[in-house]
């Protein structure tokens, strides 16, 4: 399946479960003082979770442009060095606003991954929140019970507040979460070390792909957790990681999401990408990643500048330039040459790149 088909399957699967397909909100946030950029699919739905506004639909599904390079969720230094962190990424999400809860969310995620996408059940692991006595939050026994019907006990892992209690920032809607991880190692490696021991241990082939968050609280400014009047579902699946798993690759950069930019960089630099750990290979990955963050944020109205959100984009731009100048020996501006391919790739789902190509360049 191509990345476009994989994205489409997610949207239509949940449409078939009564969800309304909605567009991504802009990656640049102008009306939320707690965030500079959209860092999760749930940002645009914050007011529905908090009960500040009624949701127009009880169930929605989307792919959201996200950026994680500032604030609570910040992956910048990993990007390009490893094969699965990104600045800009697409988060596929299904949402329930006071409608279905844990049972449906978990069962549908299992159905989609195993029956529609055909991922081998034996390679999947689920994490469950173990509870937190200090904050008086109970363990997720309901989620545990649902997973026990789907997975053997040695494919379920308990996690602490860091891994299994999701918060968008210092304040706001939050709740316990249950992640799904995939073990992409070879059969020999899997036989030698059980995947259960490698979940959430930064193993490059045992990776989280989907987070099912059960929004039950609002984190207040003074740090206390206030239970919400209604409970909600907020899920996030990184498209780039999912595509890597389904296309059978060991790196996100070997998928059709990034291969176009890597090939264009090869043409410009006259160097070959060998998918290794050398500085030139890191540079290929940095460029393939950073061009997306730069292009999508500019398209959504955030120009690079010397303060605030603009400074975040300038830092990404500088990091990209530093990498191609130093490690690919390209001494002329080149990022603009990656844009036409990117705009073509995303023309169906994010036409804003094509529409503003000249301006972004
Ligand atoms: N809101 C769920 C996540 O970003 O993982």
């Amino acid at each position: 399946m191509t990345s476009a088909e994989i994205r489409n399957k997610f949207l239509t699967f949940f449409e078939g479960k009564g969800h309304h397909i909605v567009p991504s909100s802009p990656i640049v946030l102008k009306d939320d003082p707690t965030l500079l950029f959209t860092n999760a699919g749930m940002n645009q739905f914050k007011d529905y979770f908090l009960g500040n506004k009624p949701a127009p639909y009880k169930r929605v599904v989307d792919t959201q442009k996200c950026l994680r390079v500032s604030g609570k969720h910040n992956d910048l230094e990993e990007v390009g060095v490893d094969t699965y962190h990104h600045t800009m990424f697409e988060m596929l999400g299904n949402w329930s606003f006071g409608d279905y809860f844990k049972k449906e969310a978990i069962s549908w995620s299992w159905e989609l991954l195993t029956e529609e996408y055909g991922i081998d059940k034996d390679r999947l692991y689920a994490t469950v929140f173990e509870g937190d006595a200090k904050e008086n939050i109970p363990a997720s026994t309901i989620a545990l019970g649902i997973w026990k019907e789907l997975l053997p006990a040695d494919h379920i892992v308990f996690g602490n507040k860091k891994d299994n209690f999701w918060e968008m920032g210092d304040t706001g809607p939050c709740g316990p979460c249950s992640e799904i991880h995939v073990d992409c190692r070879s059969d020999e490696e899997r036989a030698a070390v059980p995947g259960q021991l490698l979940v959430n241990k930064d193993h490059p082939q045992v990776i989280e792909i989907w987070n099912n968050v059960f929004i039950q609280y609002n984190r207040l400014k003074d740090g206390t957790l206030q239970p919400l009047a209604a409970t909600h579902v907020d899920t996030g699946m990184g498209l780039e990681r999912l595509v890597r798993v389904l296309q059978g690759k060991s790196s996100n950069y070997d998928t059709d999401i990034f291969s176009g930019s890597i090939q264009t960089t090869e043409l410009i630099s006259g160097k070959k990408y060998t998918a290794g750990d050398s500085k030139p290979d890191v540079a290929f990955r940095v460029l393939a990643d950073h061009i997306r963050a730069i292009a999508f944020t500019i398209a959504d109205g955030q120009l690079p500048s010397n303060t605030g959100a603009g400074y975040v984009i300038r830092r990404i731009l500088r990091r990209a330039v530093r990498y191609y100048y130093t490690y690919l020996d390209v001494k002329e501006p080149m990022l603009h040459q990656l844009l036409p391919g990117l705009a073509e790739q995303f023309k169906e789902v994010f036409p804003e790149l094509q529409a503003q190509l000249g301006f972004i360049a």
Side-chain angles (χ1 to χ4, degrees):
M1 262 186 283
T2 64
S3 52
E5 288 164 345
I6 292 168
R7 181 194 293 112
N8 213 30
K9 190 177 260 304
F10 184 91
L11 299 174
T12 52
F13 174 84
F14 281 104
E15 191 178 33
K17 307 278 186 205
H19 293 62
H20 193 84
I21 301 176
V22 298
S24 170
S25 64
I27 197 165
V28 178
L29 277 168
K30 295 286 183 207
D31 55 0
D32 186 338
T34 69
L35 291 171
L36 293 176
F37 298 100
T38 299
N39 69 359
M42 54 82 68
N43 298 162
Q44 66 164 316
F45 306 123
K46 188 172 162 182
D47 281 336
Y48 306 153
F49 291 140
L50 294 178
N52 296 338
K53 270 191 204 162
Y57 307 99
K58 290 245 174 247
R59 301 176 181 191
V60 305
V61 60
D62 67 356
T63 183
Q64 172 66 49
K65 296 173 285 184
C66 297
L67 193 70
R68 288 196 175 171
V69 285
S70 54
K72 192 173 176 66
H73 300 281
N74 184 351
D75 295 334
L76 185 59
E77 290 313 316
E78 316 291 337
V79 175
V81 177
D82 72 19
T83 56
Y84 60 102
H85 279 100
H86 297 291
T87 51
M88 182 261 166
F89 63 98
E90 275 182 69
M91 186 173 273
L92 302 166
N94 57 291
W95 315 88
S96 156
F97 305 122
D99 188 22
Y100 66 85
F101 205 38
K102 299 183 181 181
K103 174 84 186 146
E104 294 87 342
I106 291 176
S107 314
W108 289 340
S109 60
W110 185 253
E111 182 185 334
L112 178 59
L113 291 180
T114 61
E115 291 173 29
E116 299 291 324
Y117 289 133
I119 300 179
D120 179 1
K121 293 179 184 172
D122 204 38
R123 291 184 177 272
L124 293 172
Y125 292 82
T127 67
V128 171
F129 183 49
E130 67 187 8
D132 187 272
K134 217 167 115 223
E135 292 229 52
N136 203 17
I137 319 171
S140 291
T141 48
I142 294 176
L144 177 64
I146 301 164
W147 278 121
K148 274 185 169 167
E149 287 177 19
L150 300 167
L151 278 169
D154 61 357
H155 280 241
I156 300 174
V157 177
F158 289 92
N160 59 18
K161 221 176 79 185
K162 179 180 150 288
D163 289 323
N164 281 96
F165 191 86
W166 199 85
E167 309 199 40
M168 66 177 268
D170 293 334
T171 60
C174 53
C177 59
S178 194
E179 304 161 336
I180 303 173
H181 295 244
V182 190
D183 185 348
C184 302
R185 295 173 302 150
S186 67
D187 289 342
E188 295 72 37
E189 288 171 301
R190 292 196 300 133
V193 181
Q196 193 186 29
L197 302 179
L198 300 176
V199 166
N200 273 331
K201 297 282 189 290
D202 290 330
H203 191 291
Q205 302 303 332
V206 185
I207 54 172
E208 178 198 338
I209 52 165
W210 202 346
N211 194 6
N212 275 263
V213 185
F214 307 111
I215 300 279
Q216 293 172 241
Y217 306 98
N218 182 18
R219 173 80 68 187
L220 303 178
K221 264 204 183 103
D222 66 5
T224 53
L225 282 177
Q226 182 186 60
L228 291 170
T231 55
H232 316 276
V233 170
D234 150 14
T235 86
M237 174 147 64
L239 176 70
E240 296 75 10
R241 291 186 185 186
L242 176 67
V243 170
R244 160 192 167 171
V245 171
L246 298 182
Q247 293 185 353
K249 308 289 186 191
S250 56
S251 157
N252 293 10
Y253 294 92
D254 295 341
T255 66
D256 69 343
I257 297 182
F258 295 98
S259 55
S261 294
I262 290 183
Q263 280 161 18
T264 308
T265 304
E266 286 181 329
L267 284 176
I268 297 168
S269 68
K271 295 197 165 27
K272 197 98 200 109
Y273 177 59
T274 61
D277 295 330
S278 68
K279 287 289 190 188
D281 276 348
V282 174
F284 274 103
R285 293 192 288 269
V286 164
L287 295 178
D289 173 276
H290 288 14
I291 186 61
R292 292 161 31 106
I294 297 162
F296 278 107
T297 49
I298 293 176
D300 279 351
Q302 184 58 65
L303 294 177
S305 75
N306 57 0
T307 55
Y311 188 61
V312 174
I313 303 312
R314 181 183 270 190
R315 276 179 50 222
I316 300 173
L317 186 55
R318 274 188 184 155
R319 190 168 183 257
V321 172
R322 185 160 57 81
Y323 268 89
Y324 73 64
Y325 189 91
T326 311
Y327 301 116
L328 297 181
D329 209 25
V330 176
K331 304 299 184 195
E332 298 295 324
M334 65 156 280
L335 288 172
H336 62 291
Q337 296 179 59
L338 301 178
L339 282 176
L342 205 62
E344 175 64 25
Q345 180 182 337
F346 286 104
K347 67 175 193 259
E348 300 295 336
V349 59
F350 302 126
E352 59 271 26
L353 285 191
Q354 195 82 62
Q356 300 184 66
L357 203 56
F359 175 68
I360 301 166

